[in-house]
Amino acid sequence: KNINPISYNYSKDRNFSRNGLLERPSLWYRLGFQTQTDVPRISDINPIQSTSEGSSMNQRFGLKSGVSLFGSINTSFGYSSAKGITQGTGEPRFRRGVNYPEFGLQWSKVKIPFLLNKFFSNASYQFRYEHSIEESGNQRTKEVEDRKTSNNFSPLAGIALNWKNGITSSIRVDKSK
């Protein structure tokens, strides 16, 4: 009863980019079963010098749930990852990232102190933290050339005030490093 449903998501996509095509490629190419277009191209486009020529393949996975505490306090926990390969005119590149932990806390319908309850009906508080690691590099050599680690508090503190006249005001402080 207090455990929120577990949500799971997975996606995979593959994209191709080709310049100067004079005809529409075959259905097999458009569905991703073939990498060559096999159609005529405009003669003055050099595919080697084109920066947008290439392909990419990406996969994403996520898992999320939470726990309700005392009715008005909700927590959320999550994990997500992504990886991809991009191939163009140069060396193939990889990128991968992981977000863990993803943690959130929301305290709803907090009672307002006596002096302020003439103006406000209730308040809510929100906090969210996410740690992420992202890497990229050369796909052939598997060498990691760039690594970024970040800690995001978004929001570090978020307060929403519900006024008696139906207006909602919010204050939010974010911090990233």
Side-chain angles (χ1 to χ4, degrees):
K1 182 178 177 179
N2 291 340
I3 297 176
N4 297 338
I6 297 171
S7 70
Y8 163 83
N9 62 60
Y10 175 79
S11 66
K12 182 177 182 178
D13 61 67
R14 188 173 182 182
N15 298 304
F16 294 100
S17 174
R18 302 292 183 257
N19 297 323
L21 302 180
L22 293 172
E23 297 175 11
R24 190 174 186 172
S26 70
L27 180 62
W28 287 108
Y29 173 80
R30 288 181 280 149
L31 293 175
F33 296 115
Q34 165 182 336
T35 58
Q36 298 299 318
T37 60
D38 296 331
V39 297
R41 298 178 89 153
I42 296 174
S43 60
D44 62 346
I45 289 188
N46 184 348
I48 294 173
Q49 294 176 346
S50 174
T51 57
S52 62
E53 189 89 1
S55 66
S56 66
M57 188 167 45
N58 300 295
Q59 292 182 15
R60 290 172 217 61
F61 167 78
L63 190 63
K64 190 171 185 177
S65 186
V67 176
S68 295
L69 307 170
F70 313 116
S72 64
I73 299 176
N74 291 307
T75 61
S76 62
F77 308 96
Y79 167 87
S80 63
S81 69
K83 63 181 181 176
I85 298 172
T86 303
Q87 297 178 334
T89 56
E91 289 286 318
R93 310 279 305 155
F94 75 85
R95 68 192 166 287
R96 59 183 172 235
V98 174
N99 292 347
Y100 180 78
E102 294 175 10
F103 173 75
L105 175 71
Q106 183 164 354
W107 187 5
S108 303
K109 298 184 180 176
V110 177
K111 290 192 178 187
I112 300 297
F114 176 72
L115 296 175
L116 298 175
N117 66 1
K118 291 180 183 178
F119 307 105
F120 304 107
S121 58
N122 62 45
S124 63
Y125 172 79
Q126 186 179 16
F127 166 84
R128 188 168 184 278
Y129 170 74
E130 177 179 287
H131 175 77
S132 65
I133 300 171
E134 297 176 10
E135 296 178 332
S136 64
N138 187 306
Q139 175 64 20
R140 290 195 207 286
T141 63
K142 307 292 187 208
E143 179 184 348
V144 175
E145 297 170 354
D146 187 33
R147 180 181 168 99
K148 295 177 185 172
T149 303
S150 65
N151 293 300
N152 297 313
F153 296 89
S154 181
L156 176 61
I159 298 172
L161 300 169
N162 294 318
W163 294 70
K164 295 256 181 178
N165 62 4
I167 296 174
T168 301
S169 300
S170 61
I171 301 168
R172 180 180 166 124
V173 176
D174 294 346
K175 180 174 171 84
S176 297
K177 58 178 182 168

